[in-house]
Amino acid sequence: MRQGGLIIHPEELDEVWISELKRMEIPTLGLHPVGGADAADSFKAQIARSKDPHFRALVDQVTAAGIRVEHEMHALRYFLPASEFEKHPDWFRVDEKGERNPDRNCCVSNTDALDFIAERAAEAAKALYVGSSPSHRHFFWTDDSHDVFCHCKECSRLTPSEQQLKLMNAIASRLRKDDPLASQSFLAYDVCTEVPKKIEPADGVFLEVAPMNRDIHKPLSGSDDARNTARAKEIRELLACFGRENTKILDYWLDNSWFSGWKKPPKAFSPDVPVMKADIEFYHSLGIRDVTTFACYLGEDYRALYGLPDLGGFENMIR
């Protein structure tokens, strides 16, 4: 069975994208509400969108074509709103100044906080619409800011990767109470690319690698770019911890939101096909079959300016 897919913003999903997904025989469509400072509001909007009959009809068209629909988003500020800070300041992270701060993420050493977050994740898993063929995979990521993990006495003994894994273990365990087939990703991204050593993945936690800190115009493997060499080394090391079978790659070759500087209107886009091909061959050489790329900012507004986007033959590179 083919694996891999494309990830777009949910508001970009329309009849044209569905036609392209069918043409390309893309196995999986990921829907990614905007992250950054607006991630909690984007998540809330996606919950509301999941109740909208028009959106549900679009998802049904996708799944009727045999394409799985999944939701991938930065979730922590939605799961643990800052409004809880007054009642439960100990649920929130200690920042670099030694102060409890409701800005991002949480204190993973507080079991009540983990239980609260995991319960909210279980509610979200039921609310997000995926049509008639659920994949049972969930992608509830930590907050989208650089190194905003907890520095309390207990948490400071753990690396950011270990803090994230502890949190994902709690979410996966709760999801599996409702769905024994449920799984939750550990996102190797930003400062969470170091192999966790003090915390082991629980049943249902799988590796998702998003190597954003790279030169997108040079291959990860065999490149003279130090960042790319470091990412390739990290991926090999992470596979030794998490295994290859369920690992997913989330790369950026078709991510026009990146190439447009995350600002609209979108810029004209031309994929770097040789790099995409070399990277996918590298991932396949490691035994990773599930290879996905962001393909945001290529929706109706892009087509109105430039026509159908060139996707570089991505569909012929996955397997």
Side-chain angles (χ1 to χ4, degrees):
M1 183 177 69
R2 277 165 62 86
Q3 297 186 43
L6 299 174
I7 290 186
I8 66 175
H9 292 314
E11 62 271 19
E12 295 169 342
L13 181 61
D14 60 11
E15 301 280 354
V16 178
W17 251 125
I18 293 172
S19 177
E20 284 296 284
L21 293 169
K22 292 178 181 178
R23 177 189 66 78
M24 299 170 69
E25 298 182 345
I26 292 296
T28 305
L29 171 67
L31 299 175
H32 172 60
V34 174
D38 298 324
D41 291 337
S42 297
F43 199 131
K44 184 177 180 180
Q46 187 62 2
I47 295 289
R49 188 178 287 114
S50 288
K51 301 176 183 178
D52 178 71
H54 176 68
F55 174 76
R56 293 170 73 95
L58 291 172
V59 171
D60 288 341
Q61 287 187 54
V62 176
T63 58
I67 301 168
R68 301 188 304 182
V69 173
E70 298 175 332
H71 300 260
E72 305 204 22
M73 66 273 283
H74 294 281
L76 257 292
R77 189 45 60 242
Y78 175 80
F79 289 161
L80 182 59
S83 58
E84 293 290 330
F85 185 71
E86 185 175 352
K87 292 186 293 183
H88 305 288
D90 53 324
W91 289 5
F92 293 81
R93 78 182 188 106
V94 172
D95 62 22
E96 297 83 347
K97 298 178 182 179
E99 300 174 355
R100 293 283 176 183
N101 194 326
D103 60 347
R104 295 287 186 271
N105 291 328
C106 68
C107 176
V108 301
S109 297
N110 189 299
T111 56
D112 289 337
L114 295 183
D115 289 344
F116 183 87
I117 291 166
E119 193 62 36
R120 293 269 287 174
E123 294 169 1
K126 296 175 183 177
L128 292 166
Y129 190 63
V130 296
S132 59
S133 302
S135 72
H136 304 282
R137 297 196 304 183
H138 301 277
F139 302 84
F140 297 133
W141 303 332
T142 54
D143 284 325
D144 191 14
S145 294
H146 180 67
D147 197 8
V148 282
F149 289 87
C150 186
H151 295 266
C152 77
K153 182 178 179 181
E154 293 300 317
C155 288
S156 62
R157 298 170 182 170
L158 302 175
T159 66
S161 289
E162 290 162 347
Q163 289 193 39
Q164 185 199 156
L165 184 54
K166 187 173 182 179
L167 180 59
M168 297 309 150
N169 284 351
I171 290 175
S173 296
R174 175 61 187 87
L175 292 175
R176 287 198 154 198
K177 290 182 179 180
D178 295 335
D179 175 9
L181 299 178
S183 58
Q184 163 64 38
S185 80
F186 168 93
L187 185 67
Y189 165 82
D190 193 50
V191 297
C192 289
T193 57
E194 182 180 348
V195 174
K197 297 177 180 177
K198 297 178 182 177
I199 307 290
E200 294 184 356
D203 290 342
V205 174
F206 64 95
L207 174 64
E208 181 177 26
V209 180
M212 188 177 189
N213 184 18
R214 59 166 298 182
D215 186 335
I216 197 64
H217 295 297
K218 294 181 180 180
L220 278 179
S221 180
S223 168
D224 59 359
D225 185 89
R227 294 174 301 168
N228 290 17
T229 300
R231 300 295 82 75
K233 180 175 182 290
E234 289 165 351
I235 293 168
R236 292 187 180 96
E237 292 172 346
L238 286 163
L239 288 175
C241 174
F242 287 89
R244 291 165 171 77
E245 183 177 358
N246 296 315
T247 290
K248 172 180 177 174
I249 296 296
L250 176 52
D251 221 306
Y252 300 84
W253 311 292
L254 304 179
D255 186 13
N256 199 35
S257 65
W258 183 356
F259 299 119
S260 298
W262 296 278
K263 295 179 181 178
K264 294 288 187 83
K267 295 181 179 179
F269 172 71
S270 179
D272 194 328
V273 175
V275 168
M276 181 166 63
K277 184 175 186 295
D279 284 346
I280 293 175
E281 289 176 351
F282 168 63
Y283 294 137
H284 287 168
S285 75
L286 296 177
I288 304 171
R289 293 185 59 218
D290 193 351
V291 179
T292 295
T293 176
F294 282 106
C296 302
Y297 279 30
L298 297 174
E300 182 180 10
D301 53 352
Y302 182 92
R303 297 192 303 266
L305 292 168
Y306 312 109
L308 276 175
D310 177 6
L311 301 181
F314 173 76
E315 70 274 20
N316 297 319
M317 301 179 193
I318 60 175
R319 63 189 188 199

